């Protein structure tokens, strides 16, 4: 699914399971999107003659293989969809170059030329690409919306209680379009102070716009719903509650057009709570008698049908400066096992990127980012599936999960991004930017309706406000964030994270 990154191999009929993470930037070609306050580059610098008022009559995509042989791609639907180009569009060489920079991870090198047609007001656009590097890797979580569940799988909102507290780092790697078969394999790992996990993924591209994927995941962590707050509650043995999730799933994904994509899948998890990372002991209740699982036996079977949809109008999926993105997710559980869990969870996130030239100290985009999120659970609300608020992707100024753990939630953010400096280190371009932000989140008083009342038992406030300043270091490898936040309780903290927030 084309989203925050473009998957290797899509041009050639294979969908990589993991696209570049949201923090990844292209590396082979410079991303020359016009910068706020910057002059437009001369199109002659890319070897293209001025072509005012001309339109694109035809687009051809040619592939240069490892032996130097050219072949024509008969139906480059996925590539052109990602480029957002089609015959009939006005021809702007600079805009074409910017579009190619967005999809350069399709191949080792991408170039283009224009050729005349019988109509002097039209041109034929010829794109030449070298075979892609089938090996991919990155830090952070996979970036595309997904109906699968796992430690590297993104959720519609980051408030879902399946992330560990404390610092952790995720990495993945794999092979895309193995043997030009459209099949891809990936493996990802998560490690940190309170987190440990592994995920294996396989996908098969059915055509240029749809495919199938399956995964297996095994993760343990001290999750946000069972930590933070004014009161520390442990397992009866005195250890932190470590949530163990093991399972897998299958999904069908599809791109309907350049903006709209979606996926539907079936996921299964066996959920238990332990008292240490490698403990075999399971617990159904904490030390004061609150439920940790739905089943009194301490092991829950969670089977869900998952749907996710994305409507993406961002100008650049890697580092957007304008446009919008809407994510909607629906999870319907099917009662199985002793717990017989039955719920429907609905969540949504909308982000709007608006160019706003207030100030900046280097060449680059100045952008106001507005985000609103919300969600609710109808039916059973297991504590490990509640919405947890607070942290770098929620209300900054609070630690992860410190604001509340509820059946429902709303959250809002305003963030201004501005450039500070651009430089090169170890042959890598680094764009250093600053942020000013303010966040608000609330569980809408629903903390006492979650099974085991994890938020209420730990005396979490249920709502909170935070604001502060931050630094964003954007490279072709990852985005690092350091944010200093203060909350309405008078606390100040520093948050470190990898990957973009939106």
């Amino acid at each position: 699914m084309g989203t925050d990154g473009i998957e290797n191999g899509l041009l050639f009929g294979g969908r990589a399971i993991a696209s570049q993470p949201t923090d990844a930037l292209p590396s082979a070609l410079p991303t020359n999107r016009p910068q706020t306050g910057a002059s437009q580059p001369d199109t002659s610098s890319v070897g293209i003659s001025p072509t005012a008022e001309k339109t694109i009559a035809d687009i051809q995509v040619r592939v240069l293989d490892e032996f130097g042989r050219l072949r024509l791609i008969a139906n480059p639907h996925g590539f052109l969809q990602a480029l957002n180009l089609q015959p009939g569009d006005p021809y702007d060489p600079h805009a074409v170059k910017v579009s190619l920079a967005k999809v350069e991870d399709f191949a080792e090198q991408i170039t283009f030329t224009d050729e005349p047609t019988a109509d002097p007001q039209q041109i034929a656009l010829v794109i030449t690409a070298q075979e892609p590097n089938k090996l991919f890797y990155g830090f952070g979580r996979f970036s595309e919306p997904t109906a699968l569940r796992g430690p590297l799988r993104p959720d519609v909102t980051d408030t879902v209680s399946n992330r560990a507290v404390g610092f952790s780092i995720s990495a993945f790697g794999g092979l895309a379009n193995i043997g030009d078969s459209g099949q891809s394999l990936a493996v990802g790992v998560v490690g940190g102070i309170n987190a440990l996990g592994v995920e294996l993924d396989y996908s098969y591209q059915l055509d240029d716009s749809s495919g199938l994927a399956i995964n297996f995941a095994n993760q343990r962590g001290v999750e946000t719903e069972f930590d933070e707050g004014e009161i520390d509650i442990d397992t009866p043995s005195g250890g932190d509650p470590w949530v163990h999730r093991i399972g897998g799933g299958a999904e069908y994904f599809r791109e309907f057009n350049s903006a709209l994509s979606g996926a539907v899948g079936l996921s299964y998890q066996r959920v238990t709570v332990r008292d240490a990372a490698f403990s075999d002991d399971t617990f159904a209740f904490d030390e004061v008698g609150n439920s940790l699982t739905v089943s009194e036996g301490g092991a829950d079977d969670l089977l869900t049908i998952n749907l996710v949809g994305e409507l993406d109008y961002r100008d650049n999926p890697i580092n957007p400066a304008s446009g919008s993105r809407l994510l909607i997710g629906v999870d319907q559980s099917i009662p199985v096992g002793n717990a017989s869990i039955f719920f429907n969870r609905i969540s949504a996130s909308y982000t709007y990127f608006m160019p706003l030239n207030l100030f900046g100290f280097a060449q680059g985009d100045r952008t106001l980012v507005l985000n609103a999120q919300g969600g609710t659970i109808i039916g059973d609300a297991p504590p490990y599936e509640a919405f947890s608020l607070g942290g770098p992707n929620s209300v900054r100024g609070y630690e992860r999960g410190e604001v509340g753990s509820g059946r429902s939630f709303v959250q809002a953010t305003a963030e201004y991004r501005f450039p500070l400096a651009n430089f090169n280190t170890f042959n890598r371009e680094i764009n250093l930017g600053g942020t000013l932000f303010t966040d608000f989140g609330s569980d809408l008083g629903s903390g006492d309706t979650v099974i085991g009342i994890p938020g209420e038992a730990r005396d979490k406030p249920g709502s909170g406000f935070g604001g502060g300043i931050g630094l964003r270091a954007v490279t072709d490898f990852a985005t690092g964030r350091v944010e200093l936040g203060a909350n309405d309780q008078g606390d100040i903290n520093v948050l470190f994270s990898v990957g973009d927030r939106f």
Side-chain angles (χ1 to χ4, degrees):
M1 298 168 57
T3 56
D4 294 334
I6 306 300
E7 297 91 350
N8 285 329
L10 182 59
L11 168 60
F12 309 101
R15 173 189 189 258
I17 297 170
S19 63
Q20 295 282 4
T22 56
D23 48 49
L25 279 177
S27 56
L29 289 171
T31 303
N32 291 323
R33 181 175 64 249
Q35 307 295 328
T36 302
S39 60
Q40 298 297 317
D42 185 356
T43 57
S44 63
S45 64
V46 295
I48 305 294
S49 59
T51 51
E53 304 301 328
K54 290 190 177 182
T55 60
I56 300 173
D58 185 32
I59 302 177
Q60 297 181 12
V61 179
R62 300 170 181 172
V63 175
L64 183 67
D65 66 20
E66 59 184 319
F67 302 106
R69 297 173 299 196
L70 275 172
R71 72 177 189 270
L72 182 68
I73 302 299
N75 183 27
H77 170 77
F79 186 78
L80 298 182
Q81 188 177 58
L83 275 178
N84 198 23
L85 289 175
Q86 60 185 346
D89 287 347
Y91 178 52
D92 180 349
H94 176 69
V96 173
K97 185 181 179 183
V98 171
S99 294
L100 291 178
K102 298 177 187 177
V103 298
E104 62 185 346
D105 50 340
F106 273 139
E108 295 299 313
Q109 184 178 358
I110 302 176
T111 60
F112 74 98
T113 59
D114 61 276
E115 297 182 355
T117 66
D119 186 342
Q121 295 304 313
Q122 294 184 333
I123 60 97
L125 184 64
V126 179
I127 299 171
T128 303
Q130 291 185 3
E131 287 277 16
N133 183 353
K134 293 180 172 60
L135 176 66
F136 61 89
Y137 59 91
F139 286 96
R141 284 178 281 162
F142 303 157
S143 61
E144 76 277 9
T146 176
L148 296 176
R149 296 292 176 260
L152 275 79
R153 293 284 170 173
D155 297 296
V156 169
T157 70
D158 248 1
T159 56
V160 177
S161 296
N162 58 0
R163 308 297 176 196
V165 298
F167 181 80
S168 63
I169 191 167
S170 306
F172 60 83
L175 293 172
N177 195 24
I178 301 171
D180 292 331
S181 64
Q183 301 178 77
S184 301
L185 293 171
V187 59
V189 294
V190 178
I193 299 173
N194 296 305
L196 185 66
V198 62
E199 182 172 347
L200 301 173
D201 298 278
Y202 164 84
S203 75
Y204 177 65
Q205 191 79 24
L206 297 175
D207 52 41
D208 286 336
S209 60
S210 65
L212 303 171
I214 59 174
N215 79 325
F216 168 79
N218 189 357
Q219 67 182 103
R220 291 190 182 190
V222 181
E223 294 185 353
T224 54
E225 66 275 16
F226 296 133
D227 200 71
E228 299 301 337
E230 296 296 325
I231 301 173
D232 184 35
I233 301 178
D234 296 323
T235 61
S237 65
D240 290 327
W242 281 70
V243 179
H244 181 204
R245 301 170 185 261
I246 185 170
E251 73 170 351
Y252 170 78
F253 56 86
R254 183 174 182 83
E255 292 179 350
F256 299 97
N257 55 48
S258 60
L260 180 63
S261 59
V264 58
L266 182 70
S267 296
Y268 169 78
Q269 296 179 73
R270 178 80 163 180
V271 184
T272 55
V273 178
R274 319 290 177 120
D275 58 356
F278 300 103
S279 173
D280 291 329
D281 298 327
T282 62
F283 299 88
F285 303 93
D286 61 29
E287 62 182 343
V288 296
N290 297 315
S291 295
L292 298 172
T293 60
V294 178
S295 168
E296 294 185 358
D300 291 351
D301 295 299
L302 184 60
L303 181 65
T304 57
I305 299 172
N306 313 113
L307 296 96
V308 63
E310 177 191 38
L311 189 62
D312 190 353
Y313 290 110
R314 293 173 295 173
D315 66 325
N316 186 333
I318 303 300
N319 193 27
S322 65
S324 64
R325 186 188 189 205
L326 173 66
L327 290 169
I328 298 177
V330 179
D331 304 308
Q332 176 61 59
S333 72
I334 302 173
V336 294
N338 293 330
S340 192
I341 300 169
F342 184 69
F343 69 78
N344 180 273
R345 178 172 53 208
I346 303 171
S347 56
S349 173
Y350 178 77
T351 308
Y352 182 70
F353 301 87
M354 181 175 66
L356 184 62
N357 190 8
L358 293 180
F359 56 85
F361 306 94
Q363 181 176 338
D365 296 317
R366 288 105 165 131
T367 307
L368 177 64
V369 185
L370 303 174
N371 174 262
Q373 301 180 23
T376 190
I377 298 173
I378 302 170
D380 299 326
Y384 50 79
E385 292 295 305
F387 297 106
S388 286
L389 303 176
N393 292 328
S394 180
V395 182
R396 288 163 287 190
Y398 286 91
E399 298 291 344
R400 292 182 183 271
E402 189 180 2
V403 174
S405 299
R407 171 188 294 271
S408 304
F409 88 103
V410 293
Q411 182 175 288
T413 291
E415 177 174 297
Y416 183 66
R417 297 176 173 180
F418 55 93
L420 291 175
N422 302 306
F423 53 92
N424 283 277
T425 302
F426 301 108
N427 294 322
R428 291 187 180 275
E429 183 179 354
I430 299 176
N431 303 118
L432 184 65
T435 61
L436 299 174
F437 59 82
T438 181
D439 307 314
F440 171 78
S442 172
D443 67 7
L444 301 176
S446 63
D448 59 356
T449 65
V450 176
I451 295 172
I453 55 172
E456 298 287 308
R458 289 164 178 79
D459 197 24
K460 298 181 181 182
S463 64
F465 174 85
I469 59 175
L471 290 175
R472 297 173 71 243
V474 182
T475 74
D476 62 349
F477 194 67
T479 293
R481 294 159 50 200
V482 181
E483 293 161 322
L484 174 67
N487 65 37
D488 54 349
Q489 303 289 322
D491 299 323
I492 298 175
N493 63 18
V494 179
L495 300 170
F496 299 89
S497 55
V498 176
D500 203 359
R501 177 184 171 97
F502 306 105

